Amino acid sequence: MDKLRNYDVSFSGLKNGKHVFKFEIDNTFFQLFDTEQEFTNPKIVADVFLEKHTTFLEFEIKVDGTVELICDLTNDEFEHPIENEIGILVHFGEEYDDSNEDVITIPASDHAFNVAQLIYENVQLSIPMKKISPNVSDEDLEILNRFSPKDIEEPEEEEEKHESDPRWEALRKLKDNN
């Protein structure tokens, strides 16, 4: 976690109420994580809104910016907007526990909460599964559609063969007798 220290939100000296933190997210942020990214050139701002209460913390993390993706159809790079928001409650307890997706428990002795993983997940959730450039022409889509495999329905004859098999009939007779 030391490499992510720049993304600690220190709450111990803050008064109860609302506080705002801003983080600039670029390639250096994603290099801190040992995963390969599906995008390049991230230019993202993460706004972290903290509402401190006496017994818990309420975080809202908004990411806004752009990344470059590679189109699945044309293999061209295009800029994709990143915009997402998540909320999380942080409670104090015995030990760290993030098994609940909406509530994270941290040790009562902690004085800061690291938001790097939440920012990372927030950005990842903004990346579409199917990456199609807005510059893909209708002609390209039509050609792709024409040569795409179509859903093939299985003929019903196979089912009939299965049902008319004499072995199945013999088994049904045995079943009916019981």
Side-chain angles (χ1 to χ4, degrees):
M1 274 287 209
D2 288 337
K3 62 184 181 179
L4 300 174
R5 185 175 305 190
N6 292 338
Y7 303 94
D8 280 352
V9 173
S10 181
F11 53 82
S12 63
L14 299 176
K15 294 181 180 180
N16 286 355
K18 296 182 180 185
H19 307 276
V20 180
F21 302 87
K22 188 178 284 276
F23 298 95
E24 299 287 328
I25 306 300
D26 56 14
N27 276 330
T28 56
F29 172 79
F30 291 101
Q31 290 168 356
L32 298 173
F33 295 87
D34 295 328
T35 58
E36 192 172 317
Q37 306 306 320
E38 296 181 47
F39 53 83
T40 57
N41 201 21
K43 296 175 187 165
I44 301 167
V45 173
D47 291 314
V48 177
F49 301 94
L50 163 63
E51 187 165 351
K52 183 179 179 187
H53 301 273
T54 307
T55 58
F56 68 96
L57 307 170
E58 193 173 349
F59 283 93
E60 185 177 320
I61 299 172
K62 293 182 180 181
V63 292
D64 192 21
T66 60
V67 295
E68 288 182 5
L69 298 175
I70 295 178
C71 178
D72 292 338
L73 302 177
T74 62
N75 229 20
D76 293 334
E77 280 191 5
F78 68 98
E79 199 169 80
H80 179 73
I82 296 294
E83 190 174 343
N84 203 8
E85 176 181 334
I86 58 172
I88 195 86
L89 292 177
V90 176
H91 284 241
F92 301 102
E94 295 293 316
E95 59 186 30
Y96 184 86
D97 178 17
D98 63 355
S99 58
N100 183 336
E101 65 185 48
D102 296 326
V103 179
I104 296 176
T105 303
I106 61 173
S109 60
D110 281 6
H111 301 288
F113 179 70
N114 191 285
V115 293
Q117 184 67 33
L118 295 173
I119 293 171
Y120 177 82
E121 290 172 6
N122 210 353
V123 171
Q124 293 294 342
L125 289 171
S126 300
I127 305 297
M129 293 291 284
K130 205 178 226 184
K131 299 161 198 64
I132 299 177
S133 169
N135 303 327
V136 173
S137 70
D138 290 338
E139 293 171 2
D140 290 339
L141 290 174
E142 185 180 320
I143 290 170
L144 182 69
N145 192 28
R146 192 172 345 142
F147 291 105
S148 292
K150 306 293 182 231
D151 290 339
I152 301 172
E153 293 182 26
E154 292 190 26
E156 293 180 26
E157 295 173 17
E158 288 183 31
E159 281 185 32
E160 291 173 15
K161 286 180 186 176
H162 178 70
E163 290 181 286
S164 64
D165 188 337
R167 293 173 291 184
W168 288 110
E169 291 301 321
L171 287 172
R172 278 194 196 94
K173 286 180 187 174
L174 284 172
K175 180 181 167 188
D176 291 340
N177 288 339
N178 292 332

